[in-house]
Structure formats: structure tokens, C-alpha cells
């Protein structure tokens, strides 16, 4: 006997049901408006890229490349990966289309789904959406500040009130190698007090030990030398300039010397944006011992070496991405409602086969006239249809029966008084338009 199969969405992936669509649409609308105002052009890149793009771009020692990529082999033996982030794909596109020959800076933005094979938990999914902004060809910290400001504005437009911007500089090729050595020298004799991941990170990427969420690792790091004290002149000035821009733009930031971010390509500026509300919602991970630390809504920074690493020229760049599901979950907590959903003021009730057939064309005439109209084509009884119209709170119900179809008429019923009038079927859209105007 065959077992009954019960299909579910894959772990960590979710349907977006009709009742939640308005939240996504609201975000896309705000993002498009802000992007247009600040001169960003929309770009869409493929959902899959060569896996090597991420191995090289995102970086071999990152969690994304080590553990989280969905890779696949095509029939032609190409190794592709579902995109785990936007940045390497957008840099690839910038190089591929010779955007270096355009007037700089080139400002691009996008949004869409991404895939990471994560341990699913609150605010962490295997398929999720990001809004992503990138600027190419400009070294000035002004652009880092503008990227931060843009995400701050987007969140404000979505009614977030208490936002915190954490910033740091992780230096560049001049100063970081020396600091890494300094940090490894500090960590090595203390490795027994670190978690297994951090013991491994001492060799591979000691900076990552700084943002480890384990308490024992945080104890060790509290005495560690700080990168901010070892920045080269250029990085120091860049950071100083960034903070000045943030001050003048009234963006409330906090300098966090332990913020390093989990991606390999950053140089100088790194930042994350949190909501106070997000901090209050820390909750235990399913079945795990760790607790979810506050989830960043936005993460980004400067990445001056990535274009060259991916085969292009030296192009300074800066950007960031926001996690859409994290934003939506807080919007829901804040009671964000659809508000602007068009509510039908008219209901079309039909009685019988012929009227039902006529209804399809009539509904389309109302759509063309931009009049929202509700119906219940699956129902036959007038009583049920009127009850539904009542529930929707419409002003008028149009009643189309067999006789009306034959006469080329329709009944217009005013719902609050019950008053009815018969009008010509081919004039009903105009008639309703006039009545709604009153
Ligand atoms: P990221 O920090 O990996 O950076 O991701 C940015 C944001 O995406 C996070 O702050 C979070 O809100 C959201 N996010 C990340 N992973 C997940 C997940 N598994 N489930 C739900 N939300 C998630 C980047 O992706 C960089 N490409 C950002 C960037 C652009 N840097 C420069 N340009």
C-alpha cells in the first residue's frame, strides 16, 4: 500500500501568502522611490552564477562558502550556485558590461530572493530576500555615509523609530595583515579558552574571533588589541571622515571596535543597522544552546579590492543589504497594516447560468474603469451573495438575473436603504461612476 505523501515547503523556506504580499510590495515601493531619488539604477542578475564567483568573491573562509552554498552541476558539467548574496554578481556584471567606462560613480540597486543553507532559526532562513545597494568608482567616505543614510531612510519610511547604526573600520592591505598577526599572537596562548570555531579561526581568519557570540570568546577578546588602534593613516582618516559625515547627517551611530562582518571582501568601513525592537526579541534557538543575538536588519561596508579580485580593474566600491524578512517580522510586530488596500464599494451578484457568463465581461469593464468590484461567482443564491456584500460593507450591489440579461438591464441596489433601480446594462459602469462621485 502506498503511503500518503504530505508535501511541505523545504526546511527554512516559506510561502508568501496573499495576506503578506502587501508588506513586500510596500518595501519595494519605498525602496524604488528612495533609489530613484538618489540616482540608483535597478539591476537584476541571474539567480545562479558560477560557484567560483562566490568562492573567490565572498571568500573561502566565510560561513557562506564553507557551509551555506546551494551548488549544482548542470548537464554541461558547469558548477553553479544559487546566489547566497548579491554583491559578487553585481561586481561581475559591472566588469562584464564595462561599466567602468561610464561616468563614475555607478550606483546600482536590486532586490530579490537569496539562498543560504543555514541552520534555520528566528530571523534566519534558507530562502530569504534582500534589498541591496552598491556604489562603484568612488573612494570618498561620503559614499559610505550615503549608503548608510539610504538604509536608515528606508527603515524610517517603514516606520522604524529606534535604529542603531554600528560602525567600525577593519583597515586595508596596509594595516590589516600586521594587526592580524598581532591578534593571532594574542590569541594563540589563550586558545584553550576559546570555542572550537575560534580555535580554527586563529589560523584561517583571526578577525572573525572578534564577533564570536560565545561568552567565553567575548571574555578573551575584551583584553585583545584593537584594530582601531592599529589603522594606517589612510584608514584612520577615512574612518574619521565617515564619522564626520554621519554626525552632520544626524545619523545616530555607535563605534563598535569588534564589528568585523562575516564576509572576506571588506576594506575600511563596515557597518550594521539594528532596531531596538530587534534587541528586545532575542529568543532561544530551536533545540540549540546558543541564544540568537540581536539580528542585524542591514549589513554592509566598503570593498575596494573586490573588482580586481574578480578580474576587473581597481574600482573602489561600497554597499549594503537589508534582510527583508527581518524587516517584515518587525513591521508585523509594530502592527503595520495594509491601509492602502483598495476596498470594493460595489458587489456584483448574479443569478443563474447566463448572468454568470455575462458577469466575466462586466467585471472586466469595471476593472478598465478602475472601479474596484467584488463578486462571488461560485455562489448561486441571492441571499448568500447579499450577505457577502453586506459583510464587505459595499455601497451598492448590482443584481444580474436571467430576465435582466434578456432585457439588457441590471438592478442597482443601494445597500443602506435597500432602494433598487433598474438601469441599462451598457450604461451601468457610467451610472456607478456617477453615483460613487456623489
Ligand atoms: P549579510 O550580512 O550577509 O551581507 O546580509 C545582509 C542582511 O541580510 C543581514 O543583515 C540580514 O538582515 C539579512 N540576512 C542574511 N542572511 C539571512 C538569512 N539566512 N535569513 C534572513 N535574513 C538574512 C551581505 O549579504 C552583503 N552582500 C551586503 C553588502 C552589500 N555588502 C556590500 N554590499
Amino acid at each position: 500500500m502506498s503511503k500518503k505523501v504530505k508535501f511541505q515547503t523545504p526546511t527554512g523556506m516559506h510561502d508568501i501568502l496573499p495576506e503578506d504580499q502587501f508588506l513586500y510590495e510596500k518595501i519595494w515601493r519605498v525602496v524604488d522611490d528612495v533609489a530613484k531619488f538618489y540616482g540608483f539604477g535597478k539591476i537584476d542578475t541571474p539567480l545562479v552564477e558560477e560557484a567560483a564567483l562566490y568562492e573567490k568573491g565572498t571568500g573561502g573562509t566565510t560561513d557562506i562558502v564553507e557551509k551555506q552554498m546551494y551548488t549544482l552541476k548542470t548537464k554541461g558539467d558547469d558548477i553553479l550556485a544559487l546566489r547566497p548574496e548579491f554583491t559578487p554578481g553585481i561586481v561581475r556584471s559591472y566588469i562584464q558590461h564595462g561599466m567602468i567606462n561610464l561616468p563614475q560613480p555607478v550606483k546600482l540597486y536590486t532586490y530579490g530572493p537569496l539562498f543560504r543553507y543555514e541552520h534555520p532559526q528566528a530571523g534566519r532562513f534558507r530562502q530569504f530576500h534582500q534589498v541591496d545597494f552598491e556604489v562603484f568608482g568612488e573612494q570618498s567616505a561620503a559614499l559610505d555615509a550615503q549608503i548608510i543614510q539610504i538604509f536608515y531612510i528606508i527603515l524610517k519610511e517603514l516606520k522604524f523609530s529606534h535604529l542603531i547604526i554600528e560602525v567600525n573600520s577593519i583597515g586595508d592591505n596596509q594595516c590589516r595583515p600586521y594587526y592580524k598577526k598581532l591578534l593571532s599572537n594574542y590569541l594563540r596562548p589563550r586558545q584553550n579558552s576559546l570555542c572550537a570555531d575560534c580555535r580554527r579561526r586563529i589560523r584561517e581568519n583571526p578577525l572573525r574571533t572578534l564577533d564570536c557570540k560565545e561568552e567565553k570568546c567575548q571574555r578573551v577578546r575584551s583584553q585583545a588589541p584593537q584594530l582601531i588602534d592599529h589603522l594606517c593613516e589612510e584608514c584612520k582618516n577615512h574612518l574619521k571622515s565617515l564619522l564626520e559625515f554621519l554626525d552632520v547627517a544626524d545619523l545616530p551611530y555607535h563605534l563598535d571596535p569588534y564589528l568585523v562582518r562575516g564576509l572576506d571582501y571588506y576594506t575600511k568601513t563596515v557597518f550594521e543597522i539594528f532596531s531596538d525592537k530587534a534587541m528586545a526579541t532575542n529568543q532561544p534557538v530551536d533545540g540549540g544552546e546558543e541564544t540568537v543575538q540581536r539580528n542585524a536588519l542591514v549589513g554592509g561596508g566598503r570593498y575596494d579590492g573586490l573588482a580586481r579580485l574578480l578580474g576587473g580593474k581597481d574600482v573602489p566600491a561600497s554597499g549594503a543589504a537589508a534582510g527583508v524578512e527581518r524587516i517584515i517580522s518587525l513591521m508585523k510586530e509594530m502592527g503595520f497594516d495594509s491601509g492602502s488596500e483598495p476596498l470594493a464599494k460595489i458587489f456584483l451578484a448574479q443569478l443563474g447560468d447566463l448572468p454568470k457568463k455575462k458577469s466575466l465581461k462586466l467585471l472586466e469593464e469595471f476593472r478598465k474603469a478602475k472601479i474596484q468590484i467584488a463578486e462571488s461567482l461560485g455562489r448561486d443564491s441571492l441571499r448568500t451573495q447579499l450577505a457577502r456584500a453586506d459583510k464587505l460593507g459595499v455601497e451598492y450591489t448590482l443584481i444580474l438575473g436571467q430576465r435582466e440579461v434578456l432585457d439588457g438591464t441590471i438592478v442597482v441596489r443601494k445597500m443602506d436603504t435597500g432602494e433598487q433601480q433598474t438601469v441599462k446594462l451598457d450604461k451601468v459602469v457610467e451610472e456607478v461612476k456617477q453615483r460613487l462621485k456623489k
Side-chain angles (χ1 to χ4, degrees):
M1 235 184 13
S2 68
K3 225 168 79 189
K4 202 167 166 204
V5 184
K6 203 168 143 209
F7 290 112
Q8 301 276 316
T9 45
T11 309
M13 302 193 182
H14 302 280
D15 298 317
I16 305 171
L17 298 173
E19 60 265 31
D20 281 342
Q21 293 288 345
F22 78 94
L23 292 160
Y24 286 83
E25 282 160 15
K26 172 75 190 172
I27 293 175
W28 308 151
R29 259 200 312 276
V30 167
V31 167
D32 286 335
D33 282 354
V34 174
K36 198 181 263 173
F37 180 83
Y38 284 98
F40 282 74
K42 179 119 193 274
I43 183 167
D44 284 308
T45 57
L47 270 177
V48 289
E49 299 267 2
E50 279 182 57
L53 176 74
Y54 301 111
E55 284 158 12
K56 223 172 163 159
T58 309
T61 65
T62 59
D63 285 352
I64 292 182
V65 170
E66 275 184 350
K67 313 179 204 158
Q68 298 173 346
M69 280 221 291
Y70 283 86
T71 42
L72 56 108
K73 192 167 171 185
T74 67
K75 292 199 167 84
D77 282 345
D78 297 323
I79 309 287
L80 303 180
L82 297 191
R83 60 186 185 198
E85 58 151 339
F86 282 115
T87 313
I90 295 180
V91 175
R92 190 243 340 111
S93 180
Y94 177 92
I95 299 168
Q96 183 176 338
H97 297 283
M99 292 189 217
I100 195 158
N101 300 315
L102 300 174
Q104 308 290 307
V106 171
K107 297 173 158 189
L108 300 170
Y109 83 105
T110 192
Y111 41 78
L114 300 159
F115 303 85
R116 295 185 191 177
Y117 192 80
E118 305 237 27
H119 176 61
Q121 49 184 267
R124 209 166 272 283
F125 309 111
R126 291 186 177 171
Q127 180 177 343
F128 60 100
H129 293 73
Q130 275 185 355
V131 165
D132 184 280
F133 280 67
E134 314 284 357
V135 203
F136 295 95
E138 183 54 75
Q139 308 201 15
S140 163
L143 272 294
D144 303 6
Q146 191 176 47
I147 290 279
I148 294 175
Q149 186 190 26
I150 281 174
F151 279 96
Y152 189 78
I153 292 169
I154 289 172
L155 291 170
K156 282 279 175 193
E157 287 287 313
L158 294 170
K159 311 275 182 267
F160 282 77
S161 49
H162 295 99
L163 295 169
I164 295 142
I165 303 163
E166 305 274 6
V167 287
N168 192 22
S169 171
I170 56 163
D172 63 7
N173 285 343
Q174 296 296 312
C175 48
R176 199 168 28 195
Y178 169 73
Y179 173 73
K180 271 187 176 173
K181 223 178 264 163
L182 210 64
L183 184 61
S184 318
N185 289 343
Y186 167 82
L187 293 172
R188 227 172 281 119
R190 295 167 177 82
Q191 51 183 306
N192 289 341
S193 318
L194 297 172
C195 72
D197 272 344
C198 282
R199 281 202 295 274
R200 187 171 47 83
R201 285 172 184 147
I202 296 178
R203 260 174 293 115
E204 293 171 1
N205 189 355
L207 280 190
R208 291 293 314 282
T209 59
L210 295 180
D211 71 352
C212 179
K213 307 296 182 258
E214 293 272 338
E215 215 184 306
K216 55 182 182 184
C217 301
Q218 294 191 350
R219 263 200 305 273
V220 173
R221 88 168 184 199
S222 65
Q223 301 298 319
Q226 294 197 356
L227 178 49
I228 214 154
D229 299 325
H230 299 277
L231 292 176
C232 62
E233 222 31 47
E234 191 184 315
C235 290
K236 215 183 285 173
N237 287 338
H238 191 92
L239 178 62
K240 193 165 154 267
S241 166
L242 171 71
L243 301 185
E244 283 164 8
F245 277 114
L246 297 180
D247 276 331
V248 180
D250 272 341
L251 293 165
Y253 65 84
H254 168 244
L255 193 61
D256 175 359
Y258 300 121
L259 179 66
V260 292
R261 309 260 307 125
L263 305 165
D264 278 0
Y265 47 66
Y266 291 116
T267 49
K268 298 183 178 138
T269 308
V270 286
F271 75 93
E272 286 183 340
I273 304 181
F274 297 86
S275 157
D276 240 356
K277 248 183 130 32
M279 292 190 192
T281 57
N282 288 352
Q283 33 183 301
V285 182
D286 314 336
E289 307 108 47
E290 22 161 1
T291 39
V292 177
Q293 299 298 313
R294 52 199 188 136
N295 280 329
L297 297 178
V298 181
R302 176 160 283 279
Y303 52 96
D304 291 343
L306 186 54
R308 189 186 192 105
L309 188 69
L310 296 179
K313 301 219 169 86
D314 263 330
V315 182
S318 196
V324 173
E325 281 70 16
R326 291 186 187 179
I327 292 176
I328 283 182
S329 127
L330 291 176
M331 282 167 82
K332 282 184 175 170
E333 266 183 45
M334 293 186 287
F336 204 93
D337 66 36
S338 60
S340 59
E341 285 284 278
L343 290 177
K345 292 196 170 135
I346 311 291
F347 187 90
L348 174 63
Q350 36 66 40
L351 305 166
D353 230 25
L354 195 57
K356 197 179 286 196
K357 285 185 184 129
K358 267 268 186 225
S359 295
L360 294 182
K361 219 169 138 199
L362 187 59
L363 288 170
E364 174 56 11
E365 281 170 32
F366 276 97
R367 189 195 66 80
K368 279 194 197 143
K370 297 193 170 38
I371 299 173
Q372 191 72 32
I373 180 165
E375 41 73 21
S376 192
L377 287 181
R379 298 275 173 274
D380 289 328
S381 115
L382 182 62
R383 238 182 52 177
T384 349
Q385 293 186 72
L386 285 179
R388 171 134 178 80
D390 231 11
K391 202 162 165 214
L392 290 173
V394 297
E395 282 179 39
Y396 295 97
T397 294
L398 311 178
I399 304 168
L400 191 60
Q402 198 80 6
R403 209 184 67 211
E404 282 76 21
V405 173
L406 295 176
D407 292 352
T409 58
I410 190 164
V411 174
V412 180
R413 179 188 172 95
K414 192 160 187 320
M415 292 301 279
D416 55 355
T417 59
E419 200 184 310
Q420 298 197 161
Q421 199 186 350
T422 303
V423 302
K424 284 267 183 218
L425 189 55
D426 57 2
K427 297 274 183 313
V428 68
V429 175
E430 196 45 40
E431 171 73 25
V432 165
K433 207 186 258 178
Q434 293 312 322
R435 288 192 184 213
L436 290 179
K437 263 190 201 157
K438 282 180 198 155

